[in-house]
Structures are given as structure tokens and as C-alpha cells.
């Protein structure tokens, strides 16, 4: 698993479970975007009807899936472009 905050991680103090607001800050996205990620399958725990928690590792796993897809798309583009060169 790759860490999207590889240099100096200002979020090192985020250990354990994060609120939606803290998780959105960790991921550098809006709370609305983060809630959409939850709807799209980001791993989380629903403590109560209105209380959701997630972990930094789960956020990293969710984001990693898009990086892998990017490489697949890049391979297809390179294949197509090779035909024109």
C-alpha cells in the first residue's frame, strides 16, 4: 500500500478512527466528497445513525484503487499511440 502523504506527514497524529470531518481533512477533500466516497465503498464503521468513523489506512486503500486503474488506462493509451508512431 502506498502512502499518499510520503514526505513529512502533517497528519501523523491521526491514529485510530477518524470522524468524517477529520478524514476529509486527512484526504484533502471536502466533507461532501468524503461522504460520497463512503457511499462508493470506502471502508467505515457506523457507530450510530449519525456517527461514522474510518481509519487512515482505509482511506489509503480506497485511493490506491484509482492509482491502479490509472496505470491500466495509461497502458491502453500507450498501446494505441504506439500504432501511430
Amino acid at each position: 500500500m502506498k502512502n499518499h502523504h510520503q514526505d513529512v506527514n502533517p497528519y501523523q497524529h491521526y491514529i485510530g478512527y477518524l470522524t468524517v470531518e477529520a478524514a476529509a481533512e486527512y484526504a484533502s477533500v471536502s466533507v461532501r466528497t468524503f461522504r460520497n466516497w463512503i457511499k462508493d465503498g470506502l471502508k467505515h464503521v457506523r457507530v450510530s445513525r449519525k456517527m461514522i468513523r474510518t481509519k487512515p489506512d482505509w482511506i489509503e486503500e480506497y485511493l490506491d484503487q484509482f492509482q491502479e486503474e490509472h496505470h491500466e488506462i495509461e497502458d491502453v493509451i500507450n498501446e494505441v499511440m504506439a500504432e501511430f508512431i
Side-chain angles (χ1 to χ4, degrees), residues 42-76:
L42 174 75
K43 235 181 185 179
H44 64 282
V45 175
R46 188 171 295 276
V47 179
S48 68
R49 188 170 160 260
K50 292 189 175 187
M51 189 183 301
I52 296 171
R53 298 290 185 264
T54 191
K55 293 183 174 185
D57 287 348
W58 294 349
I59 297 168
E60 299 294 337
E61 289 172 12
Y62 180 80
L63 293 174
D64 282 347
Q65 73 178 331
F66 298 106
Q67 187 169 3
E68 291 170 11
E69 288 177 14
H70 173 75
H71 291 301
E72 292 173 15
I73 291 169
E74 192 173 294
D75 291 344
V76 170

Side-chain angles (χ1 to χ4, degrees), residues 7-23:
D7 299 327
V8 176
N9 185 348
Y11 301 103
Q12 289 175 5
H13 64 279
Y14 287 130
I15 298 172
Y17 290 91
L18 307 177
T19 63
V20 170
E21 292 77 15

Side-chain angles (χ1 to χ4, degrees), residues 20-37:
V20 170
E21 292 77 15
E25 181 182 333
Y26 173 83
S28 301
V29 297
S30 70
V31 170
R32 175 180 237 168
T33 295
F34 197 83
R35 288 187 184 279
N36 286 335
W37 290 359

